[in-house]
């Protein structure tokens, strides 16, 4: 049954037809905007690449593939994209890969919320997100300045939830960082329910959560997520802080240190 679910996320590896649309340089990083053929319909997928200008790393960089919080669903301009606290990825000498998932920014759709439901609309978007992230890694594999064999997943909030699915169906990640994620409570079609995918997640996984998170209660949401991961016990870790949903605001130094240590351990130190 699970193999049927997994196959729904598969796609044909057709040519990417990728093009670099723009290159912008700030004080700390270079941002490239790339467009390529999506894995469905006649759509184009946009992926932003951020490369460090300073730090210990040199090409080929370790790529950290990002899945954002749900605020991205309400943004309609790429001008509103801000890597913010994610600059720790760049300062560590790694590259940040930021796919524009279906329904976000200028790829906006009629999906109104990240909250799961039983509609075909929601199910189809979840499957599209799985294909978007796969297509982004396909592109990473074409870049000599990126080390596709050392890719990791970073999901925050909405991205933490979706990590329960995406790291099960996308096997090219070497490690996973899930920040303030957990299980949602609403009914959803089984092929879009992280609960059914968690036992198939086997890669090293670090979870960072808040004890007082009102979105994902500790005992009802966070711990069942962690306990059902199929990752061996020695390769999964959860850090619970005295914070609410905004762990990266209340415990930024701790969270960043834990994430960088995890990447160093399972993906390898930056060269």
């Amino acid at each position: 049954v699970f193999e049927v679910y997994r196959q729904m996320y598969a796609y044909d590896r057709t040519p990417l037809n990728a093009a670099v649309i723009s290159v912008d340089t700030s004080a700390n990083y270079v941002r490239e905007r790339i467009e390529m053929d999506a894995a469905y319909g006649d759509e184009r997928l946009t992926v932003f690449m951020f490369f460090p200008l300073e730090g210990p790393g040199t090409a080929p960089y370790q790529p950290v593939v990002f899945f954002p919080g749900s605020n991205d669903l309400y943004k309609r301009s790429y001008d509103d994209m801000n890597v913010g606290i994610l600059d720790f990825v760049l300062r560590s000498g790694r590259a940040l890969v930021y796919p524009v998932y279906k329904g976000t920014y200028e790829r906006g759709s009629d999906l109104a919320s990240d909250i799961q439901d039983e509609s075909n609309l929601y199910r189809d978007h979840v499957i599209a997100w799985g294909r978007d992230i796969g297509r982004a890694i396909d592109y990473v594999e074409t870049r000599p300045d990126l080390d596709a064999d050392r890719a990791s997943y970073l999901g925050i909030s909405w991205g933490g939830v979706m990590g329960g699915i995406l790291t099960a169906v996308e096997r090219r990640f070497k490690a996973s960082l899930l920040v303030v994620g957990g299980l949602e409570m609403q009914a959803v079609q089984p092929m879009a329910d992280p609960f059914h995918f968690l036992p198939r997640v086997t890669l090293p996984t670090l979870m960072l959560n808040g004890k007082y998170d009102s979105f994902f209660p500790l005992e009802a949401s966070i711990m069942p997520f962690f306990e059902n991961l199929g990752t061996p016990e020695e390769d999964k870790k959860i850090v619970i802080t005295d914070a609410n949903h905004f762990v990266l605001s209340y415990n930024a130094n701790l969270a960043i240190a834990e994430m960088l240590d995890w990447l160093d351990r399972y993906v390898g130190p930056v060269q």
Side-chain angles (χ1 to χ4, degrees):
V1 172
F2 178 76
E3 183 60 20
V4 174
Y5 297 160
R6 192 188 67 80
Q7 282 295 328
M8 296 189 73
Y9 292 81
Y11 58 91
D12 294 325
R13 298 293 179 89
T14 52
L16 291 166
N17 295 318
V20 177
I21 304 301
S22 63
V23 179
D24 302 299
T25 302
S26 72
N28 301 314
Y29 57 78
V30 175
R31 187 185 82 166
E32 296 183 10
R33 175 184 167 186
I34 299 100
E35 290 188 0
M36 64 200 71
D37 291 347
Y40 44 85
D42 296 323
E43 297 187 37
R44 293 281 281 177
L45 167 65
T46 300
V47 177
F48 285 90
M49 300 276 190
F50 296 84
F51 295 93
L53 285 175
E54 299 177 352
T58 57
Y61 298 100
Q62 295 180 23
V64 178
V65 184
F66 182 55
F67 199 112
S70 59
N71 285 343
D72 279 23
L73 280 169
Y74 310 105
K75 297 175 181 177
R76 288 295 175 264
S77 171
Y78 295 143
D79 293 336
D80 295 329
M81 179 176 287
N82 181 5
V83 295
I85 199 170
L86 296 178
D87 67 353
F88 79 89
V89 173
L90 301 169
R91 287 187 283 109
S92 76
R94 297 174 171 91
L96 182 69
V97 181
Y98 198 145
V100 177
Y101 299 93
K102 185 177 178 67
T104 67
Y105 290 101
E106 294 174 23
R107 300 191 68 216
S109 68
D110 47 358
L111 185 71
S113 170
D114 66 304
I115 298 174
Q116 65 187 27
D117 61 44
E118 294 182 283
S119 69
N120 291 333
L121 175 69
Y122 179 79
R123 176 205 64 198
D124 290 347
H125 274 76
V126 174
I127 292 170
W129 301 331
R131 294 175 176 177
D132 286 344
I133 206 165
R135 203 71 165 157
I137 299 176
D138 292 346
Y139 178 73
V140 165
E141 291 178 333
T142 71
R143 296 279 301 239
D145 53 355
L146 293 171
D147 188 348
D149 292 330
R150 296 200 290 170
S152 55
Y153 176 90
L154 169 58
I156 297 178
S157 189
W158 176 37
V161 175
M162 294 312 304
I165 292 178
L166 300 180
T167 60
V169 300
E170 178 51 69
R171 296 291 185 170
R172 287 174 286 183
F173 291 120
K174 295 298 183 289
S176 176
L177 307 168
L178 306 180
V179 183
V180 293
L183 288 169
E184 295 185 333
M185 307 302 176
Q186 297 79 14
V188 64
Q189 293 190 36
M191 65 287 295
D193 188 346
F195 184 77
H196 298 307
F197 291 76
L198 291 175
R200 277 80 179 185
V201 175
T202 59
L203 81 169
T205 300
L206 171 68
M207 292 181 63
L208 296 161
N209 291 89
K211 184 177 181 180
Y212 305 107
D213 193 329
S214 58
F215 290 98
F216 303 113
L218 180 61
E219 298 300 330
S221 170
I222 295 169
M223 293 311 300
F225 189 111
F226 178 75
E227 291 165 357
N228 280 281
L229 286 169
T231 302
E233 291 294 327
E234 63 271 20
D235 294 323
K236 65 179 182 179
K237 178 181 180 181
I238 186 166
V239 178
I240 305 295
T241 68
D242 289 328
N244 57 17
H245 190 66
F246 301 99
V247 169
L248 286 180
S249 296
Y250 284 94
N251 300 101
N253 290 340
L254 172 64
I256 290 170
E258 290 281 354
M259 287 189 280
L260 293 181
D261 286 347
W262 198 258
L263 292 179
D264 285 347
R265 177 180 176 184
Y266 286 103
V267 184
V270 169
Q271 303 295 324

